[in-house]
Amino acid sequence: QVQLVESGGGSVQPGGSLRLSCAASGLVFSNYRVTWERQAPGKEREWVALISTSGHTTGYPDSVKGRFTVTRDNNENTAHLDMSDLEPEDTAVYYCHARGGTFQNEADDYWGEGTQVTVSA
C-alpha cells in the first residue's frame, strides 16, 4: 500500500517559518518526482515546489520563490518544504504529491491527505 503522510503544519505569525515533511512508504521513492501543492478555500490548487527524482533539480513559482525550499532524502523516503517569511496569503492546506518519474511508472500518481498551515497576526 502506497502512503504519503505530511506533517509539520501549524499556526505562525507573518514573517515566521515552518518546515513541512512528507513521509513516503510502499514505493521506491527515488523513482518519483515530488511536488508540494496547496489549496486555500475559494482558490484553485497551486503548486509551490517541485523536486526531481534525484533532487538535482528544483523549481518554484514566483509567489514563493526565494522563501520556500524543497529538499528530499531518498534514503529516508522523505521530502521537506522549508518555508520562511510566511505571509497570510500562504495560508492553505499543503499536500505532498508523488508522480512517476520513469517510463515504467509514469502513470503512477499519489497524494497525501495534507497538513494545515495558517499565517495570521
Side-chain angles (χ1 to χ4, degrees):
Q1 181 181 6
V2 173
Q3 189 173 30
L4 302 177
V5 180
E6 301 96 337
S7 62
S11 297
V12 297
Q13 293 183 321
S17 300
L18 283 174
R19 190 184 207 204
L20 306 183
S21 297
C22 174
S25 60
L27 76 171
V28 181
F29 193 56
S30 61
N31 289 338
Y32 291 82
R33 183 185 345 183
V34 172
T35 57
W36 286 91
E37 308 196 30
R38 66 187 183 187
Q39 181 97 56
K43 298 182 179 179
E44 295 183 354
R45 190 177 67 213
E46 176 190 26
W47 75 279
V48 296
L50 179 150
I51 188 165
S52 62
T53 55
S54 66
H56 291 331
T57 301
T58 59
Y60 311 89
D62 289 342
S63 58
V64 307
K65 191 174 298 182
R67 301 188 298 118
F68 289 13
T69 301
V70 61
T71 56
R72 69 188 296 164
D73 186 339
N74 288 336
N75 187 248
E76 296 292 331
N77 288 353
T78 59
H80 304 279
L81 183 68
D82 291 295
M83 305 180 293
S84 63
D85 196 22
L86 286 163
E87 306 167 354
E89 292 74 18
D90 296 317
T91 296
V93 177
Y94 284 71
Y95 298 90
C96 179
H97 179 206
R99 292 183 293 164
T102 73
F103 178 81
Q104 291 78 15
N105 73 348
E106 60 184 359
D108 291 351
D109 190 298
Y110 304 108
W111 291 84
E113 293 188 357
T115 186
Q116 177 72 49
V117 171
T118 301
V119 185
S120 63

